Amino acid sequence: MRWLKGVVLAVVTLIVLLLGMLFAVRNQQTVPLDVIWAELPPASLSLWLLSTLVVGVLLGMVAMSGLYLRLRTTLMRTRHDNQQQRKELDRLRVQEFKEAP
């Protein structure tokens, strides 16, 4: 089952790469980009769109990193508390056996 997942992932990755290359080849016309505060030099449409995608992905990762770190810290704290409670339960079980006649 693991190899099937790897094959499907490889096929999907290959299809996405081929579509990205086709997109870049088909959109070679140069377009100037006018943002609110500046006008950027003309570049190909595919370059502008792909760079916007990369910037969006990076911003999304930065935005989610705080939540990820907070959840990771909570998970580690919960695991530590769980381990302490298991030790206490084992100690109480052993104590109960020692007290039994």
Side-chain angles (χ1 to χ4, degrees), residues 7-56:
V7 169
V8 169
L9 182 63
V11 168
V12 169
T13 303
L14 184 61
I15 289 172
V16 168
L17 285 174
L18 289 174
L19 287 175
M21 289 187 325
L22 181 64
F23 176 77
V25 169
R26 302 271 302 162
N27 291 295
Q28 288 296 319
Q29 57 271 32
T30 58
V31 178
L33 186 62
D34 187 16
V35 291
I36 296 171
W37 60 86
E39 185 172 328
L40 300 174
S44 69
L45 180 62
S46 62
L47 176 67
W48 287 127
L49 290 175
L50 292 175
S51 62
T52 309
L53 174 68
V54 169
V55 169

Side-chain angles (χ1 to χ4, degrees), residues 70 72-82:
R70 186 174 43 158
R72 184 79 176 163
T73 303
T74 304
L75 177 64
M76 295 304 287
R77 188 177 305 125
T78 304
R79 284 183 178 169
H80 179 71
D81 291 345
N82 188 8

